[in-house]
Amino acid sequence: MLLASQTNSGGIQVTHELMTLPFAMDALAPHISKETLEYHYGKHHRAYVNKLNELIKGTEFEGLSLSDLVRKTTGPTFNNAAQVWNHNFYWYGLNPRGSDKPTGELAAAINKNFGSFDQFAAQFKTAAATKFGAGWTWLVKTEDGQLAIRNSNDAENPLQWNQIPLLTCDVWEHAYYIDYRNERPRYIETFWALVDWDFVARNLEGEGITF
């Protein structure tokens, strides 16, 4: 199922739309404020969508899904398509109520690859906190079926490396600077409290959202 797009009468996707958040603008407070969402989602995310539509209009890329754009484009088109994809995925991975620790297949995979959930959490938080500059921290399923933590620069996305994204944390400063200024580790702790592990589990099982 493709989300956040418009199609013409022939069913061909011609424009991309800003996704509708799966929660209210103030639902993540006090962890992430309404003001942050007004800028992060309402301005930054929206700007990527608008710029992407401008770049692909009238080109061979106009009918492609976000995932195909991430895999097949470079330069400004890639940057904006990937940032739309990454932000969509980030928002869907958050739950205002948080969720319990992973269970079932996801819990078993985490234990197998990282030793325990606590060890995984520590490694993920460290990777996100020490990522230099703008980018994203991901939990991915690699081509050989293992789970791994990966940092990506700027707009980079695991689809480029034939890996399956399971979870992402946005570590661009616009994700946290209003609420936490330069204290990225505090933001990461807040992010962790909001992770929707059911969303992560569905991605591992191949039943996640596609864009």
Side-chain angles (χ1 to χ4, degrees), residues 18-137:
L18 181 67
M19 63 170 280
T20 300
L21 288 175
F23 40 75
M25 291 285 283
D26 61 354
L28 302 182
H31 304 292
I32 300 176
S33 68
K34 179 181 178 181
E35 184 182 7
T36 287
L37 265 72
E38 288 172 343
Y39 280 88
H40 190 182
Y41 166 76
K43 295 186 182 296
H44 289 279
H45 192 173
R46 184 184 301 277
Y48 292 127
V49 174
N50 292 343
K51 186 62 176 180
L52 174 62
N53 285 323
E54 175 187 320
L55 289 167
I56 64 175
K57 185 176 181 180
T59 73
E60 69 270 30
F61 302 122
E62 192 170 24
L64 297 184
S65 68
L66 283 174
S67 294
D68 283 340
L69 288 169
V70 168
R71 293 186 178 101
K72 297 179 180 181
T73 62
T74 59
T77 300
F78 165 79
N79 288 336
N80 285 275
Q83 283 293 78
V84 176
W85 198 108
N86 295 351
H87 280 89
N88 287 356
F89 195 76
Y90 171 76
W91 298 125
Y92 277 115
L94 302 180
N95 185 328
R97 297 178 300 279
S99 63
D100 294 332
K101 290 182 180 180
T103 59
E105 181 183 349
L106 176 59
I110 287 173
N111 290 338
K112 176 183 176 182
N113 288 273
F114 301 101
S116 69
F117 178 77
D118 288 343
Q119 288 177 284
F120 159 64
Q123 290 179 41
F124 190 99
K125 292 175 187 178
T126 297
T130 58
K131 166 72 183 74
F132 183 78
W136 303 80
T137 299

Side-chain angles (χ1 to χ4, degrees), residues 127-149:
T130 58
K131 166 72 183 74
F132 183 78
W136 303 80
T137 299
W138 305 84
L139 174 65
V140 301
K141 183 178 180 181
T142 64
E143 288 187 277
D144 61 0
Q146 303 302 305
L147 299 193
I149 296 166

Side-chain angles (χ1 to χ4, degrees), residues 200-211:
V200 181
R202 290 193 297 273
N203 292 324
L204 179 63
E205 295 162 5
E207 299 176 357
I209 293 171
T210 58
F211 308 113

